[in-house]
Amino acid sequence: MLDHGAPPHNGGPSAPHSEGRGMRLMRRKPVERLVAEGGHGEGGTLRRSLGLWQLTMISIGATLGTGIFVVLGEAVPKAGPAVTLSFVIAGLTALFSALSYAELAGTIPVSGSSYSYAYATMGELIAWVCGWCLMLEYGVSVAAVAVGWGEYLNELLDGTIGVTLPAALSAPPGEGGIFNAPALIVVLLAMAFLLGGARESARANTVMVLVKIGALVLFCAIGVQGFRSGNYENFMPLGMAGVSAAGATLFFSYIGFDAASTAGEEAKNAQRDLPRAILLSLAIITALYVLVAAVAVGAKPWRQFSDSEATLAQIMREVTGQSFWGTLLAFCAVIAIASVVLTVLYGQTRILFAMSRDGLVPKVFAKVSPRTGTPRANTLIVSLFCGVLAAAVPLGQLADATSIGTLFAFALVNIAVVVLRRSRPDMPRSFRVPLSPLLPALGLGFCLWMMGSLSAVTWVVFGVWMAVGLVFYFLYGYRRSRLAAPAPSEAK
């Protein structure tokens, strides 16, 4: 339990007239105040109903989806059979940041994820930048994933009843269509679950996660029957450079493990369960990725892999000689991607909830329904925005920019854990990053390295996104921040 009686550290709230502009940009929100406000919104409170199992499933649900179903076709040609090693390297890269997330999630168990961690350690401006990056990671990626869901739905319809949706209704303008109806439908379905409550959403997500884990286990059981040891004879044909290149691509299959940290105010025992859920989910995901990659390369010579989005389905058809298994895998992919939409949409609404409570975005995002204990208006606004974006806008490079936004947020978390260790060394921590500050420094270094490997166009899109965010902050959040005035208890 945190010591709420501890004196506030520097960066606490003060009257705006006594601060210069630079000091106001660096004002920090005390950890005690962050935790004390946990769960409280406008007109109601969030309900603490999630245990370790549900939190772990949320992280797996947000991570295990389109990545493993489509990424092998892109990664294997870069690394050859050593793609299994690439998965391990990418997993270790994610692990460095996951350790920092685990410590901060157990110390500051609130809904804002890395936004709140930055607010407590590096100040309001950095926190805003982090939160704006999270909007890019969560909000835009919901739309991108929803588009992929429509493609797999068409594959499933073709394999079962022999029909597909016309291009006019399954692709956005500019890509041969008028309106991507399936993308909008899956977002609206996720919205319906979220409006029912966190517990109900978690139950639905758990079922979907078990289905997609079962699908990958089934793939391994069938694929291993076509395993040929000769496919591994030239293990690293493209050298370590190829392994590294594939690892950079595969890292983005791990994005989403931080989703549990957005559930900090709805967890029954957040300080104990959040660190465990983050690390346990990453371990399960890495094990599945390595196992699936090992079986896939063993069953199919690496030179025969292509950029096909249905690599796993192709292998199942080749091993069994039947189309049924490919159709079954398409069904599981539809479930898997729906799970990603649900959990990532959940994470976006909770981050906006925390930012709204701090006054940095309109207060409508912090309103909580007393009946369901959910931010209903927040969920409706975010869902409709993401659904229309997926249905009507070709995402292009904007979707690619979700990766750079995620890496930037991860980098800030690795810095925040070291800053909090130095500024508040005596705070109770349910988990501590081992070998700190070495491992956080490695996490920061890997994030910066991967950001540097992204294209110039992605950096331009990211720069434009950040410029828009800063304009919004200075026009709205800078003046309306709740830290611009004392908290009610401090004003007495």
Side-chain angles (χ1 to χ4, degrees), residues 12 176 307:
D307 290 338

Side-chain angles (χ1 to χ4, degrees), residues 27 31 57 150 188 237 255 269 291 309:
R27 56 196 174 198
V31 174
M57 292 298 103
L188 295 180
I255 290 174
N269 190 339
L291 181 61
E309 293 184 349

Side-chain angles (χ1 to χ4, degrees), residues 2 9-10 22 73 78 124 150 192 201 208 237 255 258 271 273 289 291 310 314 329 350 374 378 383 388 400 413 457:
L2 295 178
H9 60 292
N10 60 354
K78 296 179 181 179
E124 186 172 282
S201 301
M208 290 187 280
I255 290 174
D258 56 319
Q271 288 179 303
D273 291 341
Y289 282 173
L291 181 61
Q314 289 177 355
L329 198 68
R350 271 40 178 189
T374 60
N378 181 341
S383 300
V388 171
D400 295 337
V413 168
V457 175

Side-chain angles (χ1 to χ4, degrees), residues 371-385:
R371 185 175 65 84
T372 63
T374 60
R376 292 180 63 86
N378 181 341
T379 302
L380 285 167
I381 294 170
V382 172
S383 300
L384 291 176
F385 173 81

Side-chain angles (χ1 to χ4, degrees), residues 171-187:
E175 295 184 357
I178 299 174
F179 194 75
N180 192 332
L184 177 60
I185 289 171
V186 71
V187 175

